[in-house]
Structure formats: structure tokens, C-alpha cells
Amino acid sequence: MIVHDFSKNNSILNQFMSELRDIDIQKDAMRFRKNIEHIGEVLGYELSKTLHYKNKDIKTPFGSKTMAVYDDQLVVCSVLRAGLTLHQGLLNYYNKAENAFISAYRDHSNNSDSFEIVIEYLASPSLNNKTLILCDPMVASGKTLVNVLKAFKQHGVPKQIHIVAVIGSKTGIEYINRIFPKHTHLWIASIDDKLSNRGYIIPGLGDAGDLSFGIKL
């Protein structure tokens, strides 16, 4: 897997990440969502540099101009519910992309630290020979993305997979690196060192789904 870790260099992503982590700024859910959306836009722009392009003659009011435009068939998939705002950031740039949605949640049986990822819903077009962009804000243990990859097998084989994430753990990234195809790209704004016993990123930023949309039962 090819990892693009944008925390290694200073950029505007530092500002978005600092606000996402800040426990006081987190109280503003709209601002939290907007920061994730901005990160989706920035990472979507960086991702665009790896797409395939073709020349196209564009007519202007005063003549014509040959422009390079991307030629990939894109499918943007968000992992519900936390991935919705990241998905929107990508759609702001890839507004002609097809869309897919998949639900995934942690099942802590008897409130134990160990958990399984449960997937109950998937809506997707065919992925055959298309470029799949998976957007999940948090790559914690990596189990969610691995289960998502398994679920997509019934929808065809994409020619390329991109994972777009806000934050991840080294453990989770190492895990998905072993499972996903070698030519997969991971675009991520920040990577933290540790996971808690219950599989949460430390120091992380909390639960992105709850902070974006409210606490669930």
C-alpha cells in the first residue's frame, strides 16, 4: 500500500486537525463537520494528481483550448455514518462520481474490550474497472475497512482503490496494508501511535460519528 501521510509536512491540514482534536472546539458540531469536509477536499485534490487524464478540446467564446481532464470512472463510498462529511468533501470536487454507501459498527459483546465489525447495509454500483474511493474518517484497528473490502467483492473488481481518512493508528494502517491490494493508496491527514484496549486511537480526537451527528444509543 502507498501511504500519503500529510502530517509529515506543514500545511492548512494542521489547522483543520488541531480544531478537530480540540475538546472545546469539538462542541460546535457544524464546525467539526466542516473541518472534515475541508480535509476531504484537500485530500481529494492531492488524490487527483494520480488519476488518468486525456486531452479534450474545449470551445471558448474566442476559440478553443486543449485541456487535460481526468478519464477515470470514480465511485466514492462512505462508511456510514461518520464518513458522510468526508464523502461530501470529495463530492465537492468529484461531482460526477458515482456513489456507494455501506454501514459498519462495532459490536462489543457483553461490553468487553474485544469487538467485531458488523455490516448490515450496502448500496453500490458495479465496481468493475472503476476507481473506488473509500472514505472513512478513522482508521483505528483497520477491521472496518477490511470488512468493507470483503463486502464489496460481490460488486466487481475495481482497477484502483484509494482510501481517504482523517486520522489513523499505526497498528490499523499496518493491518490494512497486509490485506488490501499492493497498489492501494491511503490518503491521510494524521497518524497517531497508539490504540486503547477498546480499539480507539490515542490521543486521537474521539468518536467522529458522535461528534458530527450526536451521541447514539
Side-chain angles (χ1 to χ4, degrees):
M1 186 168 65
I2 304 163
V3 178
H4 306 270
D5 176 9
F6 288 89
S7 64
K8 292 182 177 180
N9 297 294
N10 289 332
S11 73
I12 190 62
L13 287 174
N14 292 1
Q15 182 65 34
F16 301 145
M17 285 303 307
S18 67
E19 293 184 6
L20 287 175
R21 292 183 190 269
D22 191 305
I23 59 174
D24 293 319
I25 298 177
Q26 285 181 350
K27 296 173 184 177
D28 184 345
M30 183 172 67
R31 187 171 176 183
F32 189 89
R33 293 193 301 270
K34 184 57 69 173
N35 278 322
I36 291 182
E37 184 178 337
H38 287 328
I39 289 173
E41 291 173 336
V42 173
L43 297 182
Y45 167 74
E46 295 294 337
L47 184 160
S48 74
K49 299 175 184 179
T50 68
L51 298 178
H52 298 91
Y53 288 78
K54 68 176 182 179
N55 288 332
K56 183 177 181 180
D57 290 330
I58 306 297
K59 292 184 178 179
T60 79
F62 302 106
S64 64
K65 177 69 174 180
T66 300
M67 303 288 296
V69 295
Y70 77 84
D71 193 33
D72 295 82
Q73 289 182 279
L74 304 182
V75 178
V76 179
C77 175
S78 58
V79 180
L80 301 174
R81 60 185 168 150
L84 287 172
T85 48
L86 195 58
H87 191 132
Q88 184 59 55
L90 290 162
L91 280 187
N92 289 346
Y93 285 4
Y94 302 121
N95 51 20
K96 295 181 180 179
E98 294 180 279
N99 294 268
F101 301 89
I102 188 167
S103 69
Y105 68 89
R106 300 177 179 216
D107 181 19
H108 289 270
S109 298
N110 301 317
N111 202 33
S112 65
D113 287 345
S114 62
F115 62 91
E116 297 295 329
I117 300 298
V118 179
I119 291 176
E120 294 183 337
Y121 174 81
L122 169 59
S124 173
S126 169
L127 301 177
N128 278 325
N129 204 35
K130 296 178 183 177
T131 298
L132 174 62
I133 303 176
L134 291 174
C135 47
D136 190 4
M138 309 185 78
V139 182
S141 68
K143 291 181 179 180
T144 295
L145 285 171
V146 168
N147 278 271
V148 166
L149 181 66
K150 292 177 181 177
F152 268 120
K153 287 184 177 180
Q154 60 184 304
H155 288 271
V157 180
K159 68 175 183 180
Q160 179 68 59
I161 299 175
H162 295 273
I163 300 169
V164 176
V166 172
I167 189 170
S169 74
K170 289 183 177 178
T171 300
I173 292 169
E174 289 171 357
Y175 179 51
I176 64 173
N177 182 44
R178 295 196 299 269
I179 306 298
F180 273 74
K182 295 297 183 183
H183 61 280
T184 298
H185 287 259
L186 170 64
W187 307 85
I188 192 164
S190 191
I191 299 175
D192 287 354
D193 291 333
K194 300 178 181 179
L195 283 178
S196 71
N197 291 335
R198 290 179 68 84
Y200 290 96
I201 301 169
I202 303 296
L205 49 81
D207 188 302
D210 287 354
L211 290 166
S212 294
F213 302 112
I215 297 174
K216 57 189 176 295
L217 293 177

